[in-house]
Amino acid sequence: MRNVVVALVLVMGCAGAADAQRMPVSQFLAKADALQKKGALALLSSDIGLLKREIQNSAKQLRAEQVAAQKAGRKTSTCMPAKASMNSNELLAHFRSIPPHQRNMTVKAGLMGLMQKKFPCP
């Protein structure tokens, strides 16, 4: 019985991680806006970690895809450095510049658009 519970927890954890990689920009912005309205109380919200992980995981995936394309001799969509940085205002401004009818794209896709602007390939 214990093994079944452990297996269930692992499966649920993996499903949650997969779902996090498909968060749409619209949902990300809604959560970010709600956190901003909370002010200092936002620090107590688990959504801060969720949004941070979403960006970190998306950035890692984009970087891995870029490296793989470079190794395979393919042209890359962006030339972001290994340690790219940005602040939350820059990220949110980019996401808000996406027309509302297009905000169903994933955070990863939205982040790719920002990286293409910020780190274009020569």
Side-chain angles (χ1 to χ4, degrees):
M1 180 65 175
R2 181 172 180 253
N3 290 340
V4 172
V5 172
V6 171
L8 184 58
V9 168
L10 289 174
V11 169
M12 289 174 65
C14 292
D19 289 344
Q21 292 305 306
R22 293 190 300 259
M23 181 185 289
V25 169
S26 58
Q27 182 181 1
F28 187 96
L29 285 174
K31 287 184 178 295
D33 290 343
L35 287 170
Q36 285 182 330
K37 288 178 184 174
K38 288 182 178 183
L41 292 176
L43 295 173
L44 303 174
S45 175
S46 62
D47 280 347
I48 287 179
L50 175 70
L51 297 182
K52 185 177 177 181
R53 283 188 306 276
E54 186 70 28
I55 293 299
Q56 288 173 337
N57 291 338
S58 295
K60 284 179 187 175
Q61 286 180 355
L62 291 173
R63 178 72 180 145
E65 290 170 9
Q66 175 183 311
V67 169
Q70 289 170 333
K71 285 182 180 179
R74 295 188 314 265
K75 184 177 177 183
T76 60
S77 305
T78 180
C79 289
M80 67 179 171
K83 298 227 177 202
S85 66
M86 74 186 97
N87 65 44
S88 60
N89 291 333
E90 182 179 14
L91 175 70
L92 292 173
H94 175 73
F95 281 1
R96 288 185 179 116
S97 74
I98 298 169
H101 67 278
Q102 293 178 357
R103 291 181 184 171
N104 62 337
M105 72 175 68
T106 63
V107 166
K108 180 182 166 188
L111 185 59
M112 172 58 91
L114 176 59
M115 294 298 102
Q116 288 172 327
K117 287 180 184 176
K118 191 168 178 168
F119 304 109
C121 293

